Amino acid sequence: MPSKLWQKLKATNFLKKKNSSLSDTARADTTVIVSGDTEDGPDMVQTIPPIPEEFIRGDVKSWAQQAGIVLQVINARWWMKAGDGLEEVDKDNRWTALNFHGGGYMFGSAMNRKGGFSRIPSGFVDRDIFARVLSVDYTLTGSSPERLASFPLQLLEGLSAYYYMLHTLNVSPSRIIFVGDSAGAHLVLSLVRYILESQCLDPPAGIVLLSPWCDMRDPNHPSIRKFLGQLPPELMQSRYFSPALHAPLPGWPPTFISSADNERIASSIVGLEGRLSGAGVSVDWLQTEGIKENLSHDFLIRDVVAKVWPEKVQELWQRLGAWAAHLA
């Protein structure tokens, strides 16, 4: 028999505003597709409709219109332990995380249960740091030549997923943590800034940034060119593209940062941490040393790092667990 939550989600729909230029769906059902239990827990794919357009405001709305962005339904994958579920998620005092994978906005997927990016959401659940994680399969910049997929599409898709957590699952923002690695961490930084700037939703309780990409001042970088799309190049040093250059807004949530001392973007992460700490944000920063340089960026996704430097990986997971427990 379908659960009450399943019935609720099947009945939920979001209506497109008249003459909306940001959504091409007049009606989108929010459904959970369960393909069965696996040894890692239930295999559940969530469909998420676009956020109502009244939540898209200010510069982000202008940029979306300028870039010709059209919001569509996206998918996301739930991670949780076998026997767990969503029926009581609104009453659960454990953490629920919203996760965004890395890949330079050009590759990666939340749908692959066995790929490197899956090591992050599964790691949080396996170690009981978070009760459940929803990994968002946001649109990649090179996903389709027929569809415009530049900034701020990914930001608005992340916002849609957060809105779904708050308004469909009724999870309190005080029980939600955003997680992102590399480009996914950039997305988290953009999402938090937009939430605080627009005051459209309450911010999450905390954020986790793993090797955050936080400085996009490189016009020759192919990922940055695709992410920028048709928007003016001067945006590359703006608050949404290069957050390491800009102070956080008041109300910024407690932040955990992981980086390696020798990764290519280490200096920009140092700058980001300085901006946050200098503004009074609660920051727990673990800078890992001793991992080979070409493997040090976003090292939690790499099986070889777990095998060769298991103590480094264990140290990070222990710090993350302690941070989340203290945040509670």
Side-chain angles (χ1 to χ4, degrees):
M1 180 177 179
S3 69
K4 291 181 179 179
L5 178 65
W6 171 269
Q7 294 169 344
K8 176 181 178 182
L9 293 177
K10 286 290 289 183
T12 301
N13 62 78
F14 295 79
L15 297 180
K16 171 189 169 186
K17 290 179 66 178
K18 282 188 176 181
N19 302 319
S20 169
S21 60
L22 298 178
S23 173
D24 69 347
T25 53
R27 175 174 174 168
D29 291 331
T30 306
T31 60
V32 178
I33 303 169
V34 183
S35 60
D37 287 340
T38 72
E39 61 182 7
D40 303 314
D43 190 6
M44 301 170 62
V45 175
Q46 178 75 55
T47 63
I48 298 174
I51 190 168
E53 192 171 343
E54 58 264 30
F55 290 86
I56 306 173
R57 304 168 182 171
D59 286 341
V60 169
K61 181 173 183 178
S62 298
W63 292 329
Q65 293 171 335
Q66 185 177 348
I69 296 301
V70 176
L71 289 177
Q72 298 176 354
V73 171
I74 58 171
N75 290 328
R77 181 176 292 283
W78 280 106
W79 294 83
M80 62 190 75
K81 286 191 172 180
D84 211 338
L86 296 175
E87 285 78 5
E88 302 297 325
V89 64
D90 56 334
K91 302 179 180 65
D92 196 334
N93 287 325
R94 297 175 297 169
W95 292 117
T96 296
L98 190 60
N99 178 67
F100 302 94
H101 66 80
Y105 290 111
M106 292 184 67
F107 65 91
S109 173
M111 295 295 102
N112 187 346
R113 291 183 62 90
K114 301 299 182 182
F117 292 117
S118 71
R119 299 173 68 89
I120 293 174
S122 65
F124 278 111
V125 171
D126 291 345
R127 292 166 176 82
D128 294 314
I129 299 173
F130 302 148
R132 60 194 65 81
V133 179
L134 183 63
S135 290
V136 180
D137 203 38
Y138 59 83
T139 303
L140 303 177
T141 55
S143 58
S144 171
E146 292 81 27
R147 186 181 178 201
L148 296 173
S150 60
F151 176 85
L153 175 60
Q154 297 78 13
L155 166 59
L156 295 176
E157 290 175 338
L159 190 68
S160 298
Y162 187 46
Y163 178 89
Y164 152 78
M165 272 193 173
L166 297 178
H167 291 271
T168 300
L169 291 185
N170 296 317
V171 181
S172 169
S174 66
R175 306 311 306 160
I176 296 175
I177 293 176
F178 291 172
V179 179
D181 61 289
S182 193
H186 181 272
L187 180 48
V188 167
L189 288 163
S190 299
L191 186 54
V192 172
R193 179 170 290 276
Y194 176 74
I195 289 169
L196 294 174
E197 191 174 273
S198 67
Q199 299 184 341
C200 66
L201 298 169
D202 291 330
I207 63 174
V208 173
L209 308 173
L210 306 172
S211 288
W213 192 17
C214 51
D215 188 341
M216 286 192 169
R217 292 176 298 167
D218 184 356
N220 297 316
H221 195 298
S223 295
I224 296 174
R225 290 201 307 270
K226 282 185 172 290
F227 187 61
L228 181 67
Q230 301 301 312
L231 296 175
E234 53 266 27
L235 280 181
M236 288 187 290
Q237 57 185 350
S238 70
R239 63 199 189 280
Y240 281 99
F241 279 73
S242 296
L245 308 180
H246 301 270
L249 294 171
W252 194 273
T255 300
F256 184 98
I257 301 175
S258 165
S259 64
D261 65 326
N262 59 350
E263 62 177 288
R264 181 178 57 84
I265 60 173
S267 61
S268 63
I269 297 174
V270 171
L272 174 69
E273 192 280 335
R275 291 279 184 185
L276 295 175
S277 295
V281 175
S282 174
V283 179
D284 187 350
W285 179 29
L286 176 61
Q287 189 176 57
T288 300
E289 300 177 354
I291 297 176
K292 191 175 179 181
E293 182 177 354
N294 66 332
L295 298 172
S296 61
H297 176 70
D298 203 4
F299 63 82
L300 277 188
I301 72 172
R302 306 181 191 279
D303 182 62
V304 64
V305 173
K307 292 177 179 177
V308 179
W309 297 278
E311 73 283 358
K312 304 296 185 182
V313 173
Q314 182 64 16
E315 179 187 23
L316 175 52
W317 282 119
Q318 288 176 346
R319 282 283 290 272
L320 282 164
W323 175 80
H326 178 75
L327 196 62

